[in-house]
Amino acid sequence: MLAAKTLPVSSPITKVSNFGDSGLIFPKSVSAIKANRNILSNPFQASCLKTSLESVVAPDIQSFPAATRVKILSEALPFIQKFRGKTIVVKYGGAAMKSEALQASVIADLVLLSCVGMRIVFVHGGGPEINQWLGKLGIKPNFLNGLRVTDASTMEIVSMVLVGKVNKHLVSLINKAGATAVGLSGIDGHLLTARPSPNSELGFVGDIASVDPSVLRPLIDNYHIPVIASVAADKSGQSYNINADTAAGELAAALGAEKLILLTDVAGILEDRNDPGSLVKQIDIKGVKKMTDDGKVAGGMIPKVSCCVRSLAQGVRTASIIDGRLEHSVLLEILTDEGAGTMITG
C-alpha cells in the first residue's frame, strides 16, 4: 500500500512473484525497464536494481516479450513515484525471522525498494534467538504478561545476541545482496535514550525517553540501510531491552517517516479474531480505538496497534501491520493496492 528510497539483494527464492490483483511480477533483467530513465540514470542505482531484481524472480522470466516486461514494471511505477525519496521504517520479527526463505524474501524486498529510491530503516528484535542462547547457558527465560523479565544476566545475553549476532547477520545478508547496510543499536550515537519501565518486576526492560536520529540521516541520505537492534541505554549508561515495535514506531516519528510497517505472524487486524477471513484492510485511528474498546483488538495485537497509533499521532503518514508469513509481503504492501495486512491512517 505505501513506501520511500535506495539499494540491492540476492536470495535463494527462485519462483516468479505475482503480487495480488495487480499482476505485478518483477523480471530478472533490467533491460525491461530501461525506458524509465529516472530510475536507471544513476549507474549505482542501475547496478543495485539489477542485483535485487535477480534475487526476487525466476531465471526464465526473460522469455517474456519485452513489451510484457515493460508493461508489468509500468504498473509499479505510480507506487515507486509516490514513495521515492520517502522514509519507510520496517520492524522485522516473528515468522519472517525464523524462516530462512522468508528472511531472504524480506531482505530482497528491502533492497529492491532501496534501489528505486526509498529510504529504508530496518529495526529488529530477536526473541527466539535470545531464548536459544539463554538455553545454551542454562538460563530459563521468564515472562510476565507476555513480556520478557530481564535480569542483569539476561540483559547481558540480550545485548550480545541482538547487537553482536542477529544485527551483524542481517547486515551481512543485506551487504551480500548488493546494498550497503550499517549495523547499529539504540545505544549508538544516542539514537535511543531509555528509561526504566514503570513495571519494576520486568527488570531491565525499558521505555524510550527520547530519540536523536542525527546518526541516521547521513546514512539514509546516502542510500545506506540502517539496521537497528532494539537495545538502548539510560543516561547513566545502563542498558535496557526495548520492545522492537516501540523502537520502530518512535524512530518512524522522529524521522518523519511516510510509513511504518510491522511484520507479524497474523494476517493483520481481524474484525472477528476467530475468522482469518475477516481481515480489516484499512482503518483510521478512531476506528481502531473503537475496535479496541469493543474487545476486537486484544492480546498481543494491543501493543502493536498502540505503537501504530502513537506514531501516527506524531506525524507518520500511515502505519501497517502486515503478515510476515507471506513471501514478499513488504513489496505487496508498498507496490500494490491489495496490500499484505491492515493499514492504519491518521
Side-chain angles (χ1 to χ4, degrees):
M1 296 178 202
L2 289 183
K5 176 169 191 166
T6 4
L7 289 84
V9 98
S10 127
S11 86
I13 297 175
T14 58
K15 70 179 183 181
V16 177
S17 295
N18 189 335
F19 293 100
D21 296 335
S22 71
L24 177 64
I25 305 174
F26 286 98
K28 179 181 180 182
S29 173
V30 291
S31 63
I33 57 172
K34 285 187 177 178
N36 186 351
R37 298 187 182 277
N38 286 334
I39 293 177
L40 294 180
S41 58
N42 184 317
F44 168 73
Q45 287 187 320
S47 172
C48 161
L49 184 57
K50 179 177 184 296
T51 306
S52 57
L53 287 172
E54 288 174 344
S55 73
V56 190
V57 297
D60 63 352
I61 195 68
Q62 292 194 56
S63 63
F64 281 59
T68 301
R69 297 199 299 260
V70 170
K71 182 179 183 298
I72 287 166
L73 278 158
S74 70
E75 293 178 3
L77 183 58
F79 298 96
I80 292 171
Q81 290 173 322
K82 182 176 182 178
F83 296 113
R84 183 173 174 83
K86 303 293 176 59
T87 299
I88 299 175
V89 177
V90 179
K91 182 267 178 174
Y92 176 60
M97 183 171 267
K98 301 171 192 172
S99 161
E100 288 187 9
L102 289 175
Q103 184 176 76
S105 167
V106 171
I107 297 296
D109 290 359
L110 296 180
V111 175
L112 177 57
L113 294 174
S114 179
C115 285
V116 297
M118 301 178 199
R119 302 172 188 263
I120 304 298
V121 177
F122 197 34
V123 181
H124 69 88
E129 191 98 27
I130 293 170
N131 292 342
Q132 179 185 346
W133 281 92
L134 287 174
K136 287 181 179 181
L137 295 171
I139 301 172
K140 184 179 178 180
N142 292 316
F143 293 86
L144 179 66
N145 297 324
L147 298 174
R148 184 185 299 278
V149 177
T150 308
D151 57 17
S153 58
T154 301
M155 186 62 235
E156 187 175 6
I157 302 304
V158 167
S159 293
M160 290 169 59
V161 172
L162 291 189
V163 181
K165 188 174 188 299
V166 176
N167 186 268
K168 300 316 170 192
H169 176 62
L170 293 173
V171 167
S172 177
L173 289 177
I174 293 172
N175 287 343
K176 181 181 177 182
T180 300
V182 178
L184 299 166
S185 73
I187 297 172
D188 296 303
H190 303 288
L191 180 56
L192 301 175
T193 299
R195 61 168 175 254
S197 168
N199 189 346
S200 60
E201 294 177 299
L202 293 175
F204 295 108
V205 172
D207 293 332
I208 296 176
S210 63
V211 181
D212 181 355
S214 302
V215 71
L216 298 182
R217 297 197 186 279
L219 297 177
I220 60 178
D221 286 347
N222 285 283
Y223 306 102
H224 300 332
I225 300 178
V227 181
I228 303 166
S230 55
V231 172
D234 63 17
K235 292 182 178 179
S236 72
Q238 172 61 53
S239 294
Y240 286 88
N241 185 16
I242 305 292
N243 179 276
D245 293 331
T246 301
E250 294 301 311
L251 284 167
L255 289 166
E258 180 75 13
K259 189 169 187 65
L260 167 67
I261 297 177
L262 306 181
L263 275 76
T264 67
D265 289 345
V266 295
I269 299 174
L270 303 177
E271 180 68 28
D272 179 352
R273 283 180 288 159
N274 298 317
D275 179 9
S278 64
L279 176 66
V280 177
K281 288 283 190 177
Q282 185 169 333
I283 192 170
D284 60 15
I285 291 177
K286 183 178 178 181
V288 83
K289 285 183 175 179
K290 184 178 187 305
M291 288 188 70
T292 302
D293 292 341
D294 293 343
K296 293 179 179 179
V297 173
M301 186 58 71
I302 292 178
K304 294 184 184 298
V305 167
S306 298
C307 163
C308 291
V309 169
R310 180 174 169 80
S311 68
L312 292 169
Q314 296 180 84
V316 176
R317 291 290 297 276
T318 65
S320 293
I321 299 171
I322 71 172
D323 192 346
R325 300 167 300 178
L326 298 175
E327 285 192 355
H328 300 297
S329 57
V330 178
L331 290 188
L332 277 166
E333 179 62 25
I334 293 174
L335 296 183
T336 74
D337 284 319
E338 185 69 15
T342 300
M343 183 171 74
I344 306 174
T345 59

